[in-house]
Amino acid sequence: MTDNSATFDIAGYGHYPVNHQPLSIETGPDSLRLTWDDGHESEFHYLWLRDNCPCPGCVSTLTREQMFEICDVPLSIRPLEAQLDGGYLHIQWDHDGHVSRFHPGWLRSHCYSEQARAARQWQPEIWDKATIETSLPTYDYTAMMQDDTVLLSWLRQLRDTGISLLQNTDTTPGTLQQVAARISFIRETNFGTLFDVRAKPDANSAAYTNLRLPLHTDLPTRELQPGLQFLHCLNNDATGGESILVDGFRIAQHMREQYPDDFEALSSLPMDFYNKDRHSDYRFRGPALVLDGQGTVIEVRFANFLRGPLDVPADQVVRHYRAYRTFISLTREPRFQFEYRLVPGDLLVFDNRRVLHARQAFDLQQGHRHLQGCYVDRDELLSRIRVLERTL
Amino acid sequence: MTDNSATFDIAGYGHYPVNHQPLSIETGPDSLRLTWDDGHESEFHYLWLRDNCPCPGCVSTLTREQMFEICDVPLSIRPLEAQLDGGYLHIQWDHDGHVSRFHPGWLRSHCYSEQARAARQWQPEIWDKATIETSLPTYDYTAMMQDDTVLLSWLRQLRDTGISLLQNTDTTPGTLQQVAARISFIRETNFGTLFDVRAKPDANSAAYTNLRLPLHTDLPTRELQPGLQFLHCLNNDATGGESILVDGFRIAQHMREQYPDDFEALSSLPMDFYNKDRHSDYRFRGPALVLDGQGTVIEVRFANFLRGPLDVPADQVVRHYRAYRTFISLTREPRFQFEYRLVPGDLLVFDNRRVLHARQAFDLQQGHRHLQGCYVDRDELLSRIRVLERTL
């Protein structure tokens, strides 16, 4: 693959294969329209093109950061001349004669037609008990550690399905450090970098008891809930303690279809989440279901035991409780629950901002249960995927 | 102060002084109304009260986390009996005879009347050049390190004003570790835990050159922009390199008043922020101005040099650029700019999600400039304030 970046055609480290050629340009008052060899049309505004000029005068060749600022040219900027040459779009600007040159692969990748924007929209792979039991994404620890292709496949799977199992993981305590380093940094929290999940005296969280833990996301009390959660099984011969996982996106989808007002309430009314600790007092206020600009559910925030008193307008209190009860009731339905018993060497990884997890109570008279856990944020995952995609 | 928590009156570690007593109860179909000795009225819904029962059967006495789940009682739950006794509200529930007892200070603190909710709304102290030059919050390093009262005052100031200067700070490299530990953890990023701001070869960010840096927030490429930014001056005898700070909330306020459509565009249309690095590829898509549910601006996300190509519907492109240019132009106006030259021992701390910062170019022929920096997230700040407030 050509290193586009060396020619300063592109303001970054990405690679943009040229799969199509622009054939013609039609200029309008504030934008031009390219027609491509497959019939696709792209409208590019003059302000947008000028803003994205990749030349060494506009973009630092050292840092690849833009030095040009769009407020230094008139709003009315337009081409003196616009032409195609060897697939490149060349423009000379009326304002000061500056010349910009755009790579065809880059242009096509950044087309913002309705069709192109829709094609770029990420779609999660939503699951329930039946689908995940037959298709739990499973990877081998050693293969993932040694082979970047396996790593990339694992990370993409985590991004899209939100769950995966690494098997045959080294059971040395602290192994999670090496696993996390395949992605990036561990997200440190008040529970530490690595945390040990086992029953202990003076527990500051139900996680550190042997009690049943109802379905929840971890740390909904934090503005940014931790993204990936890693649970590494070192020992599990106690009776009980099975893990239960539910795709929160599936619950949200079901609510949207069957209980639209409840869905609307949980995605618009804020909840208050409080941590309960002698040494910290994190609080966050926000809806249980988070939507992006297109209305897609991108996050679920939910732990019954980490809530503060509801603080919404009085006329919304009953509506909120109705919706919240619907949500909890659905998470309890077996058709949505994936139950799994971790064995030593299993490393379960899931998107903590999507997948709710629970644990059955366990009996310490009958053995031990020791997991190690850590978190890695979602944007570390996405960054790593992009960097791997540049080179593989 | 009484330790309420020991009596399990309150499900947490907070203290709730009793400044008012409830005088009477009026019960309705799904809520009751308390009238207090100052005439204030509080409506509490039955579901809300049952959900907040602090008894040891509902809340773990070990972890202070709620074990009760609201979907285990009927939506129609209501009191068999509700009465006041020694200021406490006692309720016996119709569903199963469960008894709940509510502390008057706690109840009053959690009243969700319109008036009480408005009084709890946080209001930033907004500044511009004239106001901050006469009232830059300034603290002494040693006093802050040794005295929790000074620490709390400093942290509240940071929360509300978004800027402060610590003077006479030890100029030993790494001192920031101790300062950050007064609050909580350092937020690690791809630039490290502590980062050294000085010109260096093969810079992966304009920060590490001697170039002018236009006004920006750091790491708008990350889903959670770092909250507090610390800039600790170890050495600054180069010519130039003055720091410039602008209250982004002031710019947003001005835009809202003078350019309402531009304000609306920047607070609703997403921008794309890309980091430009050989080893990481963080991207974030979101508006430059972030509003909370009440329409208050709570965050500004802005770095011209860390943007990716705009990706909005074609009919919004020119509108977006118009708004974005207005924003940049306003940040360049001297009336909003606070210029400050750091001297060794100065530690400038500001809310990176609010205050834009810039640096003039500097000339290394004439001396050296070496700052150390780090980040601490906003919710670490707020947690520390709450914990200090419990005890001071």
Side-chain angles (χ1 to χ4, degrees):
Chain A
M1 197 172 282
T2 329
D3 183 2
N4 296 315
S5 58
T7 63
F8 307 120
D9 274 352
I10 289 168
Y13 293 93
H15 295 287
Y16 299 95
V18 179
N19 298 321
H20 294 286
Q21 295 282 344
L23 295 184
S24 67
I25 306 175
E26 187 190 334
T27 56
D30 58 8
S31 65
L32 57 77
R33 186 173 293 272
L34 288 189
T35 303
W36 300 81
D37 60 13
D38 61 344
H40 182 78
E41 294 190 0
S42 300
E43 180 183 9
F44 293 112
H45 289 79
Y46 301 137
L47 282 164
W48 188 95
L49 288 165
R50 181 64 192 87
D51 190 27
N52 285 295
C53 175
C55 86
C58 291
V59 175
S60 162
T61 55
L62 177 63
T63 64
R64 303 296 172 88
E65 293 172 350
Q66 184 177 355
M67 297 176 296
F68 169 77
E69 291 182 87
I70 193 68
C71 73
D72 291 326
V73 298
L75 253 182
S76 60
I77 191 169
R78 51 167 298 155
L80 275 179
E81 194 172 50
Q83 59 185 35
L84 295 172
D85 181 6
Y88 280 72
L89 170 65
H90 287 253
I91 295 181
Q92 185 173 25
W93 298 102
D94 65 349
H95 165 58
D96 58 359
H98 188 83
V99 173
S100 302
R101 182 169 173 271
F102 300 95
H103 179 276
W106 183 89
L107 274 177
R108 180 67 183 245
S109 291
H110 293 88
C111 171
Y112 48 90
S113 66
E114 212 171 309
Q115 180 194 346
R117 297 185 74 233
R120 284 196 292 270
Q121 174 79 27
W122 172 73
Q123 293 293 347
E125 294 167 21
I126 291 178
W127 49 265
D128 57 20
K129 176 186 173 70
T131 51
I132 205 70
E133 279 185 352
T134 54
S135 64
L136 177 68
T138 303
Y139 290 82
D140 178 68
Y141 166 74
T142 306
M144 182 286 293
M145 290 301 284
Q146 294 178 351
D147 182 343
D148 278 359
T149 311
V150 178
L151 173 65
L152 178 58
S153 166
W154 177 53
L155 299 182
R156 283 175 165 159
Q157 190 75 59
L158 274 171
R159 176 191 63 193
D160 297 337
T161 313
I163 188 169
S164 79
L165 182 68
L166 274 187
Q167 289 178 314
N168 312 312
T169 305
D170 184 346
T171 54
T172 312
T175 296
L176 277 186
Q177 293 276 11
Q178 282 95 60
V179 175
R182 287 292 273 162
I183 308 176
S184 181
F185 316 108
I186 291 180
R187 159 89 175 264
E188 185 174 2
T189 74
N190 56 314
F191 297 111
T193 47
L194 296 197
F195 46 88
D196 287 283
V197 185
R198 56 184 159 189
K200 55 190 176 192
D202 200 23
N204 62 346
S205 158
Y208 304 139
T209 66
N210 64 344
L211 300 173
R212 181 184 81 96
L213 272 178
L215 284 156
H216 65 285
T217 57
D218 271 15
L219 277 61
T221 53
R222 301 299 301 270
E223 181 167 0
L224 185 72
Q225 292 188 108
L228 297 180
Q229 176 163 175
F230 295 72
L231 286 178
H232 181 206
C233 182
L234 304 182
N235 194 338
N236 192 14
D237 55 11
T239 306
E242 290 78 13
S243 301
I244 297 170
L245 298 118
V246 168
D247 187 354
F249 289 179
R250 180 71 186 91
I251 304 292
Q253 183 186 56
H254 187 86
M255 279 185 79
R256 198 196 298 244
E257 289 163 6
Q258 303 295 323
Y259 307 95
D261 184 68
D262 290 344
F263 177 84
E264 163 67 19
L266 279 199
S267 59
S268 60
L269 294 172
M271 295 179 65
D272 282 272
F273 295 95
Y274 284 26
N275 99 314
K276 318 281 170 91
D277 193 282
R278 208 173 275 282
H279 306 292
S280 59
D281 193 342
Y282 300 106
R283 300 182 185 187
F284 186 74
R285 182 173 176 71
L289 304 178
V290 183
L291 312 185
D292 70 6
Q294 280 70 50
T296 304
V297 178
I298 52 167
E299 178 162 20
V300 175
R301 187 183 285 271
F302 184 82
N304 183 68
F305 51 96
L306 295 174
R307 287 177 310 126
L310 190 66
D311 182 13
V312 298
D315 62 2
Q316 298 295 317
V317 172
V318 173
R319 178 173 178 242
H320 172 88
Y321 273 113
R322 183 180 298 119
Y324 182 64
R325 288 162 47 100
T326 299
F327 188 90
I328 301 185
S329 303
L330 287 171
T331 65
R332 291 180 176 183
E333 291 191 20
R335 61 175 160 160
F336 296 124
Q337 295 191 340
F338 172 55
E339 183 162 335
Y340 185 79
R341 185 175 172 83
L342 289 162
V343 300
D346 277 354
L347 169 52
L348 188 64
V349 190
F350 53 91
D351 184 343
N352 179 62
R353 299 169 66 186
R354 163 179 179 177
V355 175
L356 309 172
H357 64 292
R359 175 189 74 205
Q360 306 286 24
F362 56 96
D363 182 354
L364 286 172
Q365 306 302 312
Q366 315 268 336
H368 298 282
R369 186 178 191 271
H370 182 193
L371 311 184
Q372 277 195 324
C374 72
Y375 306 116
V376 170
D377 275 329
R378 232 190 224 178
D379 57 5
E380 301 290 354
L381 168 71
L382 299 178
S383 169
R384 188 76 176 119
I385 289 174
R386 290 187 200 103
V387 171
L388 287 167
E389 284 176 344
R390 285 182 197 164
T391 49
L392 289 180
Chain B
M1 195 174 282
T2 330
D3 183 3
N4 296 314
S5 57
T7 63
F8 308 120
D9 273 353
I10 290 168
Y13 294 93
H15 296 287
Y16 299 96
V18 179
N19 298 319
H20 294 288
Q21 296 282 345
L23 296 185
S24 66
I25 305 176
E26 186 190 336
T27 55
D30 58 7
S31 65
L32 58 78
R33 187 174 292 271
L34 288 190
T35 302
W36 300 80
D37 60 13
D38 60 345
H40 181 79
E41 295 190 358
S42 301
E43 179 184 9
F44 293 112
H45 289 78
Y46 301 137
L47 282 165
W48 187 96
L49 288 165
R50 181 63 192 87
D51 190 27
N52 286 294
C53 176
C55 86
C58 291
V59 175
S60 160
T61 55
L62 177 63
T63 65
R64 301 298 171 88
E65 294 172 351
Q66 185 177 355
M67 297 176 297
F68 169 76
E69 292 182 87
I70 193 68
C71 74
D72 292 325
V73 299
L75 253 183
S76 60
I77 190 169
R78 51 167 299 153
L80 277 179
E81 192 172 53
Q83 58 185 36
L84 295 171
D85 181 5
Y88 280 72
L89 170 65
H90 288 253
I91 294 181
Q92 184 174 23
W93 298 102
D94 64 350
H95 164 58
D96 58 358
H98 189 83
V99 173
S100 302
R101 182 169 173 270
F102 299 95
H103 179 277
W106 184 89
L107 273 177
R108 180 67 182 244
S109 290
H110 292 89
C111 171
Y112 47 91
S113 67
E114 211 172 309
Q115 180 195 346
R117 297 186 74 234
R120 284 197 292 269
Q121 174 78 27
W122 173 73
Q123 293 293 345
E125 295 168 18
I126 291 178
W127 50 267
D128 57 19
K129 176 187 174 68
T131 51
I132 204 71
E133 279 184 352
T134 55
S135 64
L136 177 69
T138 303
Y139 290 81
D140 179 68
Y141 166 72
T142 307
M144 182 284 292
M145 290 300 285
Q146 295 178 351
D147 182 343
D148 278 358
T149 312
V150 178
L151 173 64
L152 177 58
S153 167
W154 177 53
L155 299 182
R156 283 174 164 160
Q157 191 74 58
L158 274 171
R159 176 191 63 192
D160 297 338
T161 314
I163 188 169
S164 80
L165 182 67
L166 273 187
Q167 290 178 312
N168 312 311
T169 305
D170 184 346
T171 54
T172 311
T175 296
L176 278 186
Q177 294 276 10
Q178 282 94 61
V179 175
R182 287 291 274 160
I183 308 176
S184 181
F185 315 109
I186 291 180
R187 158 88 177 264
E188 184 175 3
T189 74
N190 56 315
F191 297 110
T193 46
L194 297 197
F195 47 88
D196 287 284
V197 184
R198 56 184 160 191
K200 55 190 175 193
D202 199 24
N204 62 345
S205 157
Y208 304 139
T209 66
N210 64 344
L211 300 173
R212 180 184 83 95
L213 273 179
L215 284 156
H216 66 285
T217 56
D218 272 15
L219 278 62
T221 53
R222 302 299 302 270
E223 181 168 1
L224 185 73
Q225 292 189 107
L228 297 180
Q229 176 162 175
F230 294 72
L231 286 177
H232 180 206
C233 182
L234 304 181
N235 194 337
N236 191 14
D237 55 9
T239 306
E242 289 78 14
S243 301
I244 297 171
L245 298 119
V246 169
D247 186 355
F249 288 179
R250 180 71 186 90
I251 304 292
Q253 182 186 57
H254 187 86
M255 279 185 79
R256 199 197 294 245
E257 288 163 7
Q258 303 293 322
Y259 308 95
D261 184 68
D262 291 343
F263 177 85
E264 162 67 19
L266 280 200
S267 59
S268 60
L269 295 172
M271 295 177 64
D272 281 273
F273 294 95
Y274 285 25
N275 98 315
K276 317 283 171 90
D277 194 282
R278 207 174 274 281
H279 307 292
S280 59
D281 193 343
Y282 300 106
R283 300 183 184 186
F284 187 74
R285 183 174 177 71
L289 305 178
V290 182
L291 312 185
D292 70 7
Q294 281 69 51
T296 304
V297 178
I298 52 167
E299 178 162 21
V300 175
R301 187 183 285 271
F302 184 82
N304 183 69
F305 50 96
L306 295 174
R307 288 177 308 127
L310 191 66
D311 183 13
V312 299
D315 63 0
Q316 297 296 317
V317 172
V318 173
R319 177 172 178 245
H320 171 89
Y321 272 113
R322 184 181 297 120
Y324 182 63
R325 288 162 47 98
T326 299
F327 189 89
I328 301 186
S329 302
L330 287 172
T331 65
R332 291 181 176 184
E333 289 190 23
R335 62 175 159 158
F336 297 123
Q337 294 191 339
F338 172 55
E339 183 162 335
Y340 185 79
R341 186 176 172 82
L342 289 161
V343 300
D346 276 354
L347 170 52
L348 189 64
V349 190
F350 53 91
D351 183 343
N352 178 63
R353 299 169 65 185
R354 162 179 180 178
V355 175
L356 309 172
H357 64 292
R359 175 188 73 206
Q360 306 286 24
F362 55 96
D363 181 354
L364 285 172
Q365 306 302 312
Q366 313 268 335
H368 300 282
R369 185 177 191 273
H370 182 194
L371 311 184
Q372 277 194 325
C374 72
Y375 306 115
V376 171
D377 277 328
R378 233 190 222 176
D379 57 5
E380 300 289 356
L381 167 72
L382 300 178
S383 169
R384 189 76 176 118
I385 289 174
R386 289 187 200 104
V387 171
L388 287 167
E389 285 175 344
R390 285 182 197 164
T391 51
L392 290 180

